[in-house]
Each structure stands twice: as C-alpha cells, then as structure tokens.
Amino acid sequence: MDESLIKNREDYLKDLSRDNTQILINRIWQLPTHREDEVVVAELPDVKTPIPREKPVPKKRKATKWEEYARMKGINKKKKGRMVYDEQSKEYKPRWGYKRANDDTKDWLIEVPQNADPFEDQFEKRKKKKQERTSKNELQRLRNIARSQKTKVPGVGLTPTIAPSKDHLGKALAIAKKSTASIGKFTESLPKEKPSKFTGKKRKFEPNYGDVKKENTKQLDILNNVLNKTPILDITQAVNTHVKDEDRTRSKRQKTDKKGGKGSKGNKNNSKAKRGKRNKR
C-alpha cells in the first residue's frame, strides 16, 4: 500500500464505498421498471441458490416406435376429455374405468355376423380379443423399455420371436398339445414326430401313509444297520484282496532270487548236502 493511503485511510474507504454504491444503483436501474403510486420501481430477479446435485442429470428418454412414426408423419398428440356422452343413459360418464360410457361388457345380446359360426360364443370371442390386445400392449411396452436400455425382452412364457430356435418350437408344440380339455390325451401326433423333451414329468414320492408292515420292516433294517458295529463282510472282495497280496509276495520273492542267484552257488551246494544228510537219517 502507498504511504498516502495509510495516512488518509478514512478518506480512501469513503471514496471506495461511494463508488461501489453507485455501481450497485446503476445495475439496479438497468433492470425492467414500472410505476406504482407515482413511484418508479425496479423489478428485482428471483433469488437463486445454487445447491450441489447428489445424482447426475437423468438422460433424455428415447422415443418409442409410435412417437418416431408420429413425428415423421406430423401427427400431433391431442388430449382426450375424461367425460364422454353415453347414448343409452343420456348422460356424461367417464371414458375409461368403472361405470364407463358405452360399456360393451354390459350387453346381454350380441348380433352374430353373417360369415361367423352360428354356434360360436360371441361373448367369449370378445373377451379373448380383449385379452390379446392387452397382452400385445404389454409386449410392446416391454420391447420399448428393452430398446431404450439396449437389452433383450425378458422371457415371460413364449414371447414371439423373429427367428425361433428348435427348442423354442418344440416347447411351443408341447404347450399347444396340452392346451386341450383332455390335456393332450387324445391329441394326435404329427407324422415322423419325435417324443418331446418338454413333457413336464414330476418326481414321484411315496405316500405319507400306506402299508404299515412294509414301513416297519424298512425302519427296522435301518436301525439294525446303525446299531450293528460289525461291518458287513464281502467274501468276493476279501478273496480278491488275498489273491492280490499273494501275487505281490510271490513277485517280490522272484525278484530277490534273481538278484542273489549268480553269487550264491556255494550256498546252493551246501543246501543240497544238508538235504542228503537229512534223507540218510
């Protein structure tokens, strides 16, 4: 710092505060203003407090196939009203859900089309079509999620695939065979059809209650095996081990005789002489 500032410290601080105040006032009058009660008022901006974010900013969601198609064709999404006029009751009702308008499930009579089977249940047919629509929408939803996350569609049952494998077709055939009232008992097999691997056989367990004598003998045999400390003797195994031991000892003797046969001629003659003396006696 200069010596002049040290000497005139109070004057320097006053000048500095005056300049900063003037700069602040100039910045305030640069903001938009309006008049209230014959007084000009400046509109101050909203207070913003920067806070550090805990998690990263979420990425933009990938558009679905329908959204891409609508953008390409220029189709604008229009929000439908919740209430719809019901022609039967002559009043407004919700479009979806409970007590909805134009509810076809409440029909007690359905007209049979001309080309349809007269003995076909139209109510069941309508119900089946609705189930197919809901399952198709659910599959499309799962596909959109899988496509956005770059993963495969989770395998729930037999989902339709572009190139089904051999196992997939075999499983579909086995399920279709058992999808009858008789659970496939009277379903005819195809020509040159091999037995399916997906038969769904279950393990068979013994009943909890049955033949009492058989159960008693079974439990007694287990108890005897546990209490008898003497092990069960296998005769064939014992004979085999004994024969193997004899063969080993015989082979060892032959090896020792071959090693000591060359330098033991005198011993052989002595042994013959001893045998002769014994025979004379």
Side-chain angles (χ1 to χ4, degrees), residues 130-158:
K130 185 179 180 182
Q131 290 176 354
E132 288 177 356
R133 288 197 302 270
T134 53
S135 59
K136 183 181 177 182
N137 292 334
E138 181 66 16
L139 180 62
Q140 292 292 340
R141 186 182 71 84
L142 293 174
R143 279 180 175 173
N144 288 328
I145 293 170
R147 195 162 56 89
S148 62
Q149 296 180 357
K150 295 181 180 180
T151 56
K152 293 183 179 180
V153 181
V156 182
L158 286 171

Side-chain angles (χ1 to χ4, degrees), residues 20 54-55 60 72 95 99 119 123 154 242 245 270:
N20 291 334
E54 181 186 2
K55 295 179 181 179
K60 191 177 179 181
M72 185 175 63
R95 189 186 294 271
K99 290 184 179 181
F119 299 101
F123 293 97
H242 182 67
D245 292 337
N270 295 329

Side-chain angles (χ1 to χ4, degrees), residues 2-227:
D2 297 338
E3 294 180 359
S4 59
L5 295 177
I6 296 172
K7 292 178 181 179
N8 301 323
R9 184 178 294 177
E10 293 182 0
D11 295 337
Y12 171 74
L13 292 175
K14 287 179 182 179
D15 295 340
L16 184 63
S17 59
R18 183 197 62 201
D19 295 340
N20 291 334
T21 306
Q22 188 64 45
I23 291 169
L24 179 62
I25 292 170
N26 293 338
R27 291 286 296 171
I28 290 171
W29 290 114
Q30 288 178 3
L31 298 172
T33 58
H34 65 278
R35 187 177 290 275
E36 287 186 6
D37 298 332
E38 299 180 356
V39 177
V40 180
V41 180
E43 296 179 2
L44 297 176
D46 297 333
V47 180
K48 293 182 180 179
T49 305
I51 299 173
R53 189 179 179 88
E54 181 186 2
K55 295 179 181 179
V57 180
K59 297 179 181 179
K60 191 177 179 181
R61 183 178 63 84
K62 194 173 181 180
T64 60
K65 283 188 175 181
W66 166 250
E67 289 174 352
E68 291 177 357
Y69 177 78
R71 190 185 304 157
M72 185 175 63
K73 295 291 183 179
I75 300 171
N76 296 322
K77 187 178 180 181
K78 294 180 181 179
K79 190 175 181 180
K80 294 181 180 180
R82 185 175 177 274
M83 305 301 290
V84 182
Y85 184 75
D86 189 10
E87 295 179 356
Q88 294 181 0
S89 60
K90 305 297 180 182
E91 60 182 3
Y92 283 92
K93 288 185 177 181
R95 189 186 294 271
W96 305 282
Y98 180 63
K99 290 184 179 181
R100 60 181 179 272
N102 304 320
D103 189 4
D104 55 357
T105 58
K106 302 293 183 182
D107 296 340
W108 64 275
L109 181 66
I110 299 175
E111 184 179 358
V112 180
Q114 294 180 357
N115 299 327
D117 185 6
F119 299 101
E120 187 179 12
D121 189 357
Q122 298 297 324
F123 293 97
E124 188 67 25
K125 186 178 180 181
R126 180 184 287 179
K127 186 178 179 180
K128 190 175 181 181
K129 283 185 178 180
K130 185 179 180 182
Q131 290 176 354
E132 288 177 356
R133 288 197 302 270
T134 53
S135 59
K136 183 181 177 182
N137 292 334
E138 181 66 16
L139 180 62
Q140 292 292 340
R141 186 182 71 84
L142 293 174
R143 279 180 175 173
N144 288 328
I145 293 170
R147 195 162 56 89
S148 62
Q149 296 180 357
K150 295 181 180 180
T151 56
K152 293 183 179 180
V153 181
V156 182
L158 286 171
T159 53
T161 55
I162 299 171
S165 61
K166 187 177 179 181
D167 291 339
H168 190 277
L169 292 173
K171 191 174 182 180
L173 181 61
I175 291 170
K177 270 191 168 184
K178 291 188 176 182
S179 300
T180 57
S182 61
I183 316 175
K185 188 175 181 181
F186 303 104
T187 307
E188 296 181 358
S189 300
L190 297 172
K192 297 182 181 180
E193 182 182 354
K194 295 181 180 179
S196 177
K197 296 186 292 183
F198 308 98
T199 53
K201 290 183 179 179
K202 295 184 179 180
R203 292 183 296 173
K204 293 182 179 180
F205 297 96
E206 293 183 0
N208 294 327
Y209 58 91
D211 192 359
V212 179
K213 291 182 179 179
K214 188 177 179 181
E215 185 69 22
N216 286 335
T217 53
K218 187 177 180 181
Q219 296 296 332
L220 287 171
D221 290 339
I222 295 170
L223 184 62
N224 291 328
N225 291 330
V226 172
L227 294 176

Side-chain angles (χ1 to χ4, degrees), residues 231-241:
I232 299 169
L233 181 62
D234 191 353
I235 298 171
T236 56
Q237 188 176 0
V239 170
N240 291 331
T241 52

